[in-house]
Amino acid sequence: MISKEADVLRALYQSWTDQMVANPNLTILNLRSMFDEWGQPALEPEDVSYKSDVVGGVDALWALPAGADKTRVIQYTHGGGFAVGSAESHRKIAGHLAKALGVTAVILHYRRAPEHPYPAQIEDAVSAYKALLAKGYEARNILTAGDSAGGNLAVSSVLKFRDLGLPLPGAVIAYSPWLDMALRGDTLKTNAATDALVSRAVLEGMAGMFLGGKTDPLDKLANPLENDFAGFPPIYIACGSAETLRSDSESLFSKVKAAGVKAQLSVVPGMQHVFLALSGRAPEANAELANIAAWYKALRP
């Protein structure tokens, strides 16, 4: 049984789905306006301030919890199928994560599809990461984190850092990552009736915009599941049992464990896609934040 607070997210997702079904010709601007409501379920994190910035040429929003360790930073990439969502819509979810971990966060407003298809998003993540290193942050004190498509970027950007010979971040946190552009996960079928938002049709549309009709769905950076994860940083993966993309989280966990990576997978019963969008409101999200904080604290020297 999920909490009544958690049902707020399911209801929001269902309202979006109903609007998309009723208006199949919604423009990308319509969709972006609708998905900017993603910030509503999370409560405002207390004692967190925000500051606009440009980091490595990328528009960004800093989340600055009072008393945070300013030598440590989360590079957060928002969800939204690479096409919708924004730093603003995700500032509270990132602010709660930063506060729970006792660090700062920089939320990237990376270039979005369809105007900017793959690999623009990874290029922006790389530019921002290089800028953080240039500002004096030690790689081991940087985390990459993100949700849904942003969870993909939190993983794929690290693979790109590895390809470029950059020092790798100290940890990765992925909320309900959407990883498989080929859409092969079993839970796309088995959880179709329980996920209030993410359907195969939605993913096909988002993947089409992201890949731009040119990139192979099995491209190793567009589809992180096609990689060897040797040497990858410790990773925490969280998802809900009710979501269609659960298989992506489980497949990623299997891949990283096989490569000897220190990894933790949390599948929370009854939860929807990116249930940590309920941070500060639902007990399930708050308990998961506490688990992530404990995991991160155990990694630190």
Side-chain angles (χ1 to χ4, degrees):
M1 176 72 83
I2 69 170
S3 69
K4 64 180 181 180
E5 294 87 356
D7 198 53
V8 169
L9 186 64
R10 186 208 59 76
L12 177 64
Y13 285 171
Q14 190 62 55
S15 75
W16 291 348
T17 296
D18 292 345
Q19 290 178 65
M20 288 187 286
V21 170
N23 303 283
N25 296 318
L26 286 172
T27 67
I28 189 64
L29 293 179
N30 294 149
L31 290 170
R32 285 173 180 164
S33 178
M34 184 169 70
F35 275 81
D36 272 346
E37 297 175 358
W38 216 334
Q40 292 180 358
L43 298 187
E44 195 69 57
E46 295 182 9
D47 300 317
V48 177
S49 60
Y50 297 90
K51 177 185 176 183
S52 297
D53 199 3
V54 177
V55 180
V58 182
D59 287 341
L61 189 64
W62 286 88
L64 304 166
D69 183 346
K70 293 183 179 179
T71 69
R72 296 175 181 268
V73 62
I74 301 165
Q75 179 169 295
Y76 194 93
T77 42
H78 68 80
F82 308 100
V84 301
S86 64
E88 180 62 31
S89 69
H90 282 66
R91 68 174 181 83
K92 288 191 285 184
I93 187 173
H96 275 286
L97 178 61
K99 182 178 178 179
L101 271 52
V103 304
T104 62
V106 61
I107 312 151
L108 304 184
H109 187 60
Y110 56 81
R111 288 173 292 168
R112 297 175 295 185
E115 300 95 328
H116 304 284
Y118 171 88
Q121 298 77 14
I122 293 178
E123 290 171 349
D124 285 355
V126 170
S127 293
Y129 185 72
K130 287 181 175 178
L132 293 176
L133 293 174
K135 286 176 180 289
Y137 289 99
E138 295 183 46
R140 64 188 177 90
N141 289 338
I142 302 174
L143 303 85
T144 62
D147 62 280
S148 194
N152 178 314
L153 294 173
V155 173
S156 60
S157 62
V158 176
L159 296 168
K160 184 63 174 179
F161 304 159
R162 185 179 68 180
D163 290 348
L164 294 172
L166 295 172
L168 300 186
V172 177
I173 298 169
Y175 293 167
S176 301
W178 175 30
L179 304 166
D180 185 13
M181 297 300 110
L183 306 181
R184 296 167 292 185
D186 291 342
T187 51
L188 283 172
K189 293 181 180 178
T190 59
N191 282 357
T194 56
D195 192 311
L197 175 65
V198 183
S199 65
R200 177 177 287 274
V202 166
L203 293 174
E204 287 173 346
M206 294 294 191
M209 287 189 283
F210 175 52
L211 300 175
K214 298 178 181 179
T215 301
D216 188 334
L218 299 182
D219 178 279
K220 284 194 170 185
L221 289 179
N223 192 328
L225 294 180
E226 296 301 305
N227 285 267
D228 172 10
F229 285 87
F232 201 78
I235 183 170
Y236 191 107
I237 308 162
C239 68
S241 71
E243 60 173 297
T244 54
L245 287 173
R246 173 178 170 177
S247 289
D248 280 22
S249 289
E250 294 170 336
S251 295
L252 177 61
F253 180 68
S254 295
K255 293 276 291 189
V256 295
K257 288 293 286 184
V261 175
K262 183 181 292 186
Q264 186 163 333
L265 171 65
S266 178
V267 181
V268 179
M271 290 296 100
Q272 292 285 323
H273 185 57
V274 193
F275 72 92
L276 281 139
L278 292 156
S279 294
R281 180 187 297 272
E284 296 91 342
N286 295 338
E288 190 64 19
L289 277 173
N291 291 339
I292 294 168
W295 172 83
Y296 180 61
K297 182 178 180 180
L299 291 179
R300 295 174 63 165

